[in-house]
Amino acid sequence: MKTLQFHINKPLQLSLIALAISASIAPALADGYGLQSANRDNAKVEKWQCKRCTTSSGFSGSVGVGAAYNDASDIHFGNTSGTDTDGAVGHIEADVNYRSATGYQTHIEADKLGYDTGSAKIETGRPGQYQIALGYRGLANYDTNAALSPYRNSGDQLVLPDSWQTGATTGQMPTLDNDVTETTLKTQRDRFLLEADYKGSFYKADINYQHEKRQGKRAYSGNLLTNSAMLAQPIDDTTDELAAKIYFNGKGWLVGIDSSFSQYKNDHQAVNWNSAFTPTFGAAYEGQSAASPDNKAYRVGANAQLNGNGHQVLMNLSVASFTQDQAFLPATINGPSPVLPTSNLDGQVDTTDMKLKYSGRLARGLSVRARYDYSDRDNKTSLNPYPQVITDSYYAGTAVNPEYDRTKQLVDVGAKYRFSRSIYIDGGYRYDHNDYSDLDRDSLQQNTLYAKLNYRVSPAWSAWIKATASDRTGSAYNAVTTTSSPSNPYLRKSYLADRERQEYKLNVAYSGSEDFSASANVHANFDDYDDTQVGLTSVDIQGYDISASYRVNEDFNINAYLNQDWRDSEQAGSTNFGLPNWYANTDEQSTLVGAGLDYQNLFDSKLNLGLDYSYSDGQSDTDVIQGLTSPYGDYFAEKHNVNAFAKYQLAEKMALRFDWIFENYKDSDWLNQGLAVDSIPNVLIFGDLNHDYNAHYFGLTFSYQM
C-alpha cells in the first residue's frame, strides 16, 4: 500500500543519497588506494572458492488465487479497486522463481490478473548473459456509468431510436425522457510486451516490442450550426512500438545506437451521428467529424559517453520522422462538398535533437557542469488552401494549413562548491531560446538564475534552501490573423507572454535514528505577466509538505503525511475586442492527509496487519467581476479512503489474506451540476455527471509458498 511504502523506501533513499555523495568525493580523496588499484598478479585466486556456499535449484516463491466482492454502484470506484465489476470477481497472484542447476533462471509474476488493471510477466534466461521476457498489463480509466443519452452505437454511426421525434429545442423532443439510457464512459488499455537482451564481453544489445489495444467510449461534442449534442464516441485503436539498441563499451568510453518505430491504427475513421434537432437552416440531418488518423513514426539515435580523471562527457544525436497519409473524408456530408486540394494530407514532420553534457572536478571541493540542448521541428507537409466548413453545415472560405515549425536551444551552466563536509552551495544559469512559425511571436527567450545552499546541521539534521529567478521576453507580439477567429490585439497568450517568475523552496529533514525519520518543506512561486493587459496577469502558489515514519519496535511501524497547496490566479478579459472590461480571480486549494500502520508477527508470528487512511480535497472558487461580482458554482473533489489487510499464516506454506477498501467520494462541477438532459435548449447533454458514493471492496486471497 502506498503509505506503507514511504516507511520502507525512506532509509533506502537516504542510503542512495549518501552513496552518491560518497561516490563523488571518494576519487578525489583516495586516488590510487581503491580496490581496483590493488596488485593481484600473485594472488592465488583458486583458493578463494567458498567451501560452504551452495547453489539451490528448483522452484521458490508463492502463488495465490483470490476472490473479491466489489460493492460499487459508480464505476469511478474502479480507479481505486482496479475493476468496475459490481459483485464477485476473481484474480490470480504469483511471484515464482525457478533456478536450474546450470544457472538458468525463470521468474513468473502476476498481480491481480483477472482485473482490468491486472498484470503478468514471465522472464527467463541466464542472468548476466541474456534475458527474454513476455508481459501483459491492463490499464483502465473509469469516468462514469451514468451518462444519459438517447444515442446508440452502431459501428461508426451514433443513431437515434426509430421512434425518435426531432424538436427545435431539447424541451420540444417528445420522446426524450423515454429514450435516454445510461451510457458508460471508460477506457481500457491492454498492453502486450516482448523483451530480449544479450550481454557480451564488451557490448549489450536489446530489443523491445509492445502492442497496445485501446477500447471504450469518451465524451464528444457533435455540433450542427447552433445546436449541439454530447456523444459517447467509440474508441477502438491499436499502437505498435518496436525499439532496438546496441551499446559497446570499454575503459572510459561507451557508444551506442538506438532506433524505434511506432504505428497507430484507428478502427474508426469518423464520428457520425443523427441530428436530434429539427434542422435550423437547410437540411443538416446528420453530422460527421474525422477521428484520429492512422500514422507512423521513425527514430534513430546515436549516443556516446567518455569519462576519466574526474571528467565526463555525454553526447546524443537523434533524428525522427512522423508521417500521416490517410485518405481525407469529404469536407461535408450535408450538400455538395467543396473540392479538396488533394486526396490526403501526405503529412510529414521531421525532428532533430542533440544533447551535449559535461561534468567534472576542477579542484578539491569544486565541480562544474555544462549542458547544451538543440531541438528542431520541421514540418514538410505541403501547404494547401483547404475549405473551411463550419460545424459540417456551411462553407466559410479556405485556409492554408500552418506549419508550426519550432527550433529550441538551451544552455545550462552550473557549479558546486563544498566548503566543508557540512556545507555546499550549488548554482547556475540557464538560457532558453525558442523560434516559432505561425504563432503570435516569432521568438521567446528566457534567462534563469538559480542557487541552492545545503547545510548538514548535525549527523541527524540537514536542511537546504533553493531560490530561482527567471525572466521571459520575446519578439514583437503580432496576433495571428490567418484564422477565422482572430485574437484581440491586446490579448497575450500565457505561454507566449512576457513573464517574471520567482521560486523559493526550503527543506528540513531529520534522520537521527533507524527508528524515526521526518521531513518538511515549504515552497512558493510567483508569476507576474507584467506586459499583459488582456489575459492571465498573475499566478501565486504556496504550499508545504510534512511526513514522518516511526518504528515502535521490530514489528510495529507507523507513518503519516500532510500536504497543502494554494494557487491564486488573476486574469483580465474583454467583451468588446478591446481593453479589459471584466476581471476574474480564481482561488484553488488542495489538501492531502494520510496515516498508516503495519503490525507484524502477532499471535505467535502468524498474523500481519496493515491499515492506511487518506483524505484528499481539492476545490476551486472563481469570481468574475464586471461591475458586480458573480461567483461560479461549486467545483471540488473530496475523497476518504481506507485500505486495510490482514494476513494469517494457516500453515508453514499456506496463508490467507483479507483485504478491505472503503471509499467515500464526491465531486461537483458547476458546469453540469443539477442539470437534466434537456436543461439547455440547444444542447443535448449527458445530465449531471457529478459523483457521490460510498463503496466497499472485500477480497480473500489464498497463497501457497513453494
Side-chain angles (χ1 to χ4, degrees):
M1 294 179 291
K2 291 184 178 179
T3 53
L4 293 180
Q5 287 178 351
F6 173 81
H7 176 78
I8 295 171
N9 293 338
K10 187 63 176 180
L12 176 61
Q13 182 184 7
L14 295 174
S15 298
L16 291 175
I17 294 173
L19 180 61
I21 294 174
S22 63
S24 65
I25 299 174
L29 302 181
D31 189 23
Y33 295 92
L35 182 60
Q36 68 276 10
S37 303
N39 187 345
R40 300 188 293 269
D41 295 340
N42 298 321
K44 300 183 182 298
V45 295
E46 66 276 3
K47 293 186 177 182
W48 293 359
Q49 182 178 0
C50 179
K51 303 298 183 182
R52 298 181 180 179
C53 297
T54 59
T55 301
S56 59
S57 61
F59 287 94
S60 63
S62 64
V63 294
V65 59
Y69 182 77
N70 199 42
D71 179 21
S73 58
D74 192 322
I75 67 167
H76 189 269
F77 180 57
N79 295 306
T80 298
S81 65
T83 176
D84 64 342
T85 301
D86 188 13
V89 59
H91 67 275
I92 296 174
E93 306 278 345
D95 187 2
V96 178
N97 290 287
Y98 173 76
R99 180 194 296 268
S100 71
T102 56
Y104 290 94
Q105 294 185 27
T106 300
H107 181 221
I108 303 173
E109 60 181 0
D111 180 34
K112 289 189 175 180
L113 189 61
Y115 287 16
D116 291 340
T117 56
S119 63
K121 188 175 184 180
I122 178 171
E123 188 175 28
T124 187
R126 186 187 290 273
Q129 294 185 10
Y130 70 88
Q131 295 281 112
I132 300 175
L134 289 170
Y136 163 80
R137 184 182 181 188
L139 300 168
N141 179 265
Y142 307 96
D143 189 357
T144 182
N145 56 340
L148 299 177
S149 175
Y151 286 93
R152 311 290 186 270
N153 289 87
S154 178
D156 289 341
Q157 189 80 19
L158 292 166
V159 298
L160 292 164
D162 294 336
S163 60
W164 182 261
Q165 298 181 42
T166 61
T169 65
T170 56
Q172 298 176 2
M173 298 174 180
T175 63
L176 176 59
D177 291 339
N178 295 328
D179 288 332
V180 295
T181 58
E182 291 185 339
T183 301
T184 297
L185 303 178
K186 77 169 190 176
T187 305
Q188 171 70 44
R189 299 172 185 258
D190 293 307
R191 289 180 180 174
F192 300 90
L193 182 69
L194 171 63
E195 298 176 326
D197 65 76
Y198 183 84
K199 185 176 182 180
S201 58
F202 64 95
Y203 66 93
K204 180 180 180 181
D206 62 57
I207 186 169
N208 301 275
Y209 170 71
Q210 178 179 286
H211 173 80
E212 178 180 290
K213 184 171 182 61
R214 186 175 61 155
Q215 292 180 307
K217 296 178 182 178
R218 64 185 168 197
Y220 182 83
S221 178
N223 303 319
L224 289 172
L225 285 179
T226 59
N227 298 321
S228 151
M230 296 301 298
L231 307 171
Q233 180 189 4
I235 302 171
D236 195 352
D237 54 28
T238 59
T239 303
D240 293 277
E241 298 180 8
L242 178 65
K245 60 184 177 182
I246 183 168
Y247 281 83
F248 302 89
N249 66 283
K251 185 178 181 181
W253 62 272
L254 181 147
V255 295
I257 297 176
D258 63 89
S259 61
S260 62
F261 166 76
S262 67
Q263 179 175 265
Y264 171 80
K265 290 186 176 181
N266 194 341
D267 289 350
H268 298 283
Q269 306 305 310
V271 181
N272 296 274
W273 69 94
N274 302 136
S275 176
F277 294 87
T278 303
T280 305
F281 304 105
Y285 292 96
E286 294 184 343
Q288 177 176 267
S289 181
S292 299
D294 297 352
N295 57 78
K296 299 177 182 179
Y298 312 82
R299 180 186 175 277
V300 177
N303 306 277
Q305 176 179 321
L306 304 173
N307 57 76
N309 298 322
H311 302 272
Q312 183 182 71
V313 178
L314 301 175
M315 296 171 283
N316 171 267
L317 175 65
S318 64
V319 293
S321 182
F322 305 84
T323 61
Q324 185 256 303
D325 59 1
Q326 185 169 303
F328 282 140
L329 297 171
T332 180
I333 61 173
N334 293 303
S337 174
V339 177
L340 295 170
T342 180
S343 61
N344 66 72
L345 181 68
D346 192 21
Q348 179 176 337
V349 175
D350 294 342
T351 63
T352 302
D353 293 277
M354 180 178 66
K355 299 180 185 295
L356 295 173
K357 293 183 180 180
Y358 165 79
S359 61
R361 295 188 306 274
L362 299 185
R364 180 169 180 171
L366 176 63
S367 60
V368 298
R369 61 185 180 276
R371 168 186 169 192
Y372 173 73
D373 292 356
Y374 173 86
S375 178
D376 180 69
R377 180 188 187 275
D378 182 14
N379 189 347
K380 294 185 177 180
T381 305
S382 298
L383 304 182
N384 293 299
Y386 288 93
Q388 305 297 292
V389 178
I390 306 302
T391 66
D392 208 4
S393 300
Y394 69 91
Y395 176 62
T398 62
V400 177
N401 50 304
E403 291 181 315
Y404 293 130
D405 288 341
R406 176 182 180 179
T407 300
K408 178 179 180 179
Q409 299 182 76
L410 180 146
V411 176
D412 191 340
V413 293
K416 176 180 176 180
Y417 184 74
R418 182 173 293 277
F419 296 93
S420 66
R421 293 178 179 269
S422 302
I423 303 176
Y424 73 81
I425 188 170
D426 191 336
Y429 166 75
R430 183 184 301 117
Y431 174 74
D432 291 271
H433 185 97
N434 290 271
D435 291 320
Y436 303 100
S437 69
D438 298 303
L439 292 182
D440 300 282
R441 303 187 91 164
D442 294 330
S443 65
L444 275 182
Q445 304 87 38
Q446 180 168 297
N447 296 276
T448 304
L449 288 171
Y450 58 92
K452 178 182 179 181
L453 175 65
N454 191 296
Y455 178 39
R456 177 163 289 278
V457 183
S458 69
W461 289 91
S462 63
W464 57 261
I465 184 171
K466 183 177 181 179
T468 304
S470 64
D471 180 51
R472 186 175 70 188
T473 59
S475 59
Y477 199 101
N478 297 308
V480 172
T481 58
T482 56
T483 67
S484 59
S485 300
S487 298
N488 184 332
Y490 295 100
L491 172 67
R492 298 294 181 264
K493 298 172 183 176
S494 60
Y495 67 96
L496 293 174
D498 289 357
R499 183 192 67 194
E500 293 183 355
R501 168 174 290 178
Q502 300 178 53
E503 300 178 71
Y504 305 96
K505 296 180 181 180
L506 172 65
N507 179 273
V508 178
Y510 174 82
S511 57
S513 69
E514 296 182 357
D515 295 331
F516 179 74
S517 62
S519 66
N521 72 74
V522 294
H523 57 271
N525 292 24
F526 305 98
D527 289 353
D528 182 14
Y529 296 85
D530 53 349
D531 194 37
T532 294
Q533 292 178 290
V534 176
L536 188 65
T537 56
S538 69
V539 179
D540 295 342
I541 302 174
Q542 298 89 34
Y544 68 91
D545 298 276
I546 301 173
S547 60
S549 64
Y550 177 56
R551 186 175 69 174
V552 181
N553 54 49
E554 292 184 356
D555 298 323
F556 188 26
N557 304 289
I558 58 176
N559 64 81
Y561 56 89
L562 169 63
N563 164 265
Q564 285 192 294
D565 280 283
W566 296 268
R567 175 189 172 99
D568 301 324
S569 59
E570 297 182 355
Q571 69 178 57
S574 174
T575 60
N576 56 14
F577 215 67
L579 292 171
N581 58 11
W582 64 266
Y583 303 88
N585 299 325
T586 301
D587 296 332
E588 299 171 273
Q589 178 180 339
S590 66
T591 301
L592 179 61
V593 182
L597 61 86
D598 183 13
Y599 209 150
Q600 303 181 15
N601 299 320
L602 296 168
F603 295 103
D604 296 328
S605 299
K606 290 185 177 182
L607 179 64
N608 294 340
L609 300 175
L611 175 66
D612 281 323
Y613 167 77
S614 65
Y615 167 78
S616 60
D617 174 65
Q619 55 186 335
S620 176
D621 297 310
T622 299
D623 290 333
V624 177
I625 305 169
Q626 190 173 14
L628 299 175
T629 299
S630 302
Y632 285 0
D634 293 334
Y635 189 73
F636 70 88
E638 181 182 61
K639 181 172 72 173
H640 296 267
N641 181 273
V642 178
N643 197 323
F645 80 90
K647 183 177 181 181
Y648 186 77
Q649 200 72 29
L650 300 172
E652 182 181 355
K653 293 188 175 182
M654 294 183 292
L656 186 65
R657 174 176 170 135
F658 170 74
D659 285 277
W660 172 52
I661 301 174
F662 168 76
E663 184 169 281
N664 169 264
Y665 180 90
K666 56 184 176 181
D667 61 22
S668 183
D669 185 346
W670 60 269
L671 284 172
N672 63 9
Q673 184 181 23
L675 297 184
V677 290
D678 59 351
S679 293
I680 305 176
N682 65 326
V683 183
L684 187 59
I685 66 173
F686 284 141
D688 190 339
L689 298 183
N690 298 324
H691 303 280
D692 187 357
Y693 63 83
N694 292 319
H696 295 267
Y697 169 94
F698 305 95
L700 281 176
T701 304
F702 173 80
S703 61
Y704 178 78
Q705 191 75 25
M706 306 180 70

